[in-house]
Amino acid sequence: QVQLQESGPGLVKPSQTLSLTCTVSGGSISSGSYYWSWIRQPAGKGLEWIGRIYTSGSTNYNPSLKSRVTISVDTSKNQFSLKLSSVTAADTAVYYCARGPYSYFQHWGQGTLVTVSS
Amino acid sequence: DIQMTQSPSSVSASVGDRVTITCRASQGISSWLAWYQQKPGKAPKLLIYAASSLQSGVPSRFSGSGSGTDFTLTISSLQPEDFATYYCQQANSFLATFGQGTKVEIK
């Protein structure tokens, strides 16, 4: 059973870059036809898809965030990562990594809270 | 973007009740729809994909229906562990979008 675990700083200063890593266990990140996604959820609010990377390395991003987002994969570490630049308080949220076929999200990490504050 | 609209935003129900949640897409998405359950402090859990396919391990009291723009999630007999927030999500394009959520509360 594949498992995902987010890690990274819980506090980021405004205008800086948020960096998170998702470590995958129970399966290889480079096998199968899966998309590896980042999704976020501000406190008490709904879910927002940020972007994804395919096993081939191709990426898709939410147009609303595209200018600030980079998703990459490190197959040697079985990890994929999110970088979100020029953050503001509006980027404060629980960030989830997820895996799925197509645009479904079948497996999720537990989530990590990132607060943007000086 | 494809907008997803759920109704109601909340519902109060008792154990054993039948609960129905609807989701409408702003444009046709065929059967590219999923339903998730989220409990406080936890990640969402996939219940239904392809509008009506039950994810492995999910109890059969959950069912989904619909195609095009209108979809339904039904819980046939509400159990104590089903009190949670439910989200629909369209998977028709790479830009996945979610409904605003429906909170199922204890009556």
Side-chain angles (χ1 to χ4, degrees):
Chain A
Q1 174 79 338
V2 67
Q3 293 186 316
L4 296 83
Q5 177 70 58
E6 306 88 351
S7 60
L11 181 64
V12 181
K13 288 182 166 52
S15 79
Q16 293 192 342
T17 297
L18 177 160
S19 295
L20 295 175
T21 296
C22 182
T23 300
V24 179
S25 58
S28 171
I29 200 169
S30 56
S31 67
S33 301
Y34 295 112
Y35 291 95
W36 304 87
S37 290
W38 288 97
I39 296 158
R40 69 181 183 179
Q41 184 173 37
K45 296 189 177 181
L47 298 154
E48 180 181 35
W49 178 79
I50 299 169
R52 70 183 186 183
I53 189 163
Y54 191 52
T55 49
S56 65
S58 64
T59 55
N60 299 110
Y61 299 128
N62 189 321
S64 69
L65 298 168
K66 186 175 183 178
S67 63
R68 300 193 290 131
V69 174
T70 302
I71 296 175
S72 59
V73 65
D74 186 339
T75 54
S76 67
K77 295 182 179 179
N78 226 32
Q79 297 175 334
F80 66 108
S81 299
L82 168 70
K83 291 188 185 300
L84 180 66
S85 63
S86 305
V87 297
T88 69
D91 295 309
T92 294
V94 174
Y95 285 75
Y96 296 100
C97 57
R99 185 194 88 166
Y102 309 105
S103 291
Y104 297 119
F105 308 112
Q106 190 177 36
H107 298 282
W108 296 66
Q110 66 185 29
T112 188
L113 174 63
V114 178
T115 301
V116 179
S117 174
S118 55
Chain B
D1 300 9
I2 300 174
Q3 307 301 316
M4 306 301 293
T5 304
Q6 288 181 235
S7 62
S9 56
S10 66
V11 57
S12 294
S14 302
V15 172
D17 284 354
R18 182 182 183 90
V19 173
T20 299
I21 300 168
T22 63
C23 179
R24 175 163 289 176
S26 61
Q27 64 188 72
I29 58 170
S30 186
S31 295
W32 292 98
L33 186 101
W35 290 97
Y36 300 85
Q37 176 194 68
Q38 187 178 33
K39 296 182 179 180
K42 299 294 186 182
K45 172 187 175 182
L46 178 64
L47 300 176
I48 302 281
Y49 63 95
S52 60
S53 296
L54 195 66
Q55 172 67 8
S56 176
V58 174
S60 59
R61 63 181 179 273
F62 291 94
S63 64
S65 64
S67 67
T69 60
D70 294 311
F71 302 86
T72 299
L73 173 70
T74 299
I75 310 172
S76 61
S77 178
L78 199 65
Q79 298 301 300
E81 60 268 30
D82 301 337
F83 292 96
T85 299
Y86 293 84
Y87 293 93
C88 63
Q89 175 241 323
Q90 64 81 15
N92 185 66
S93 74
F94 75 85
L95 177 48
T97 49
F98 295 83
Q100 79 278 19
T102 296
K103 188 173 184 179
V104 177
E105 300 175 299
I106 301 172
K107 192 171 187 179

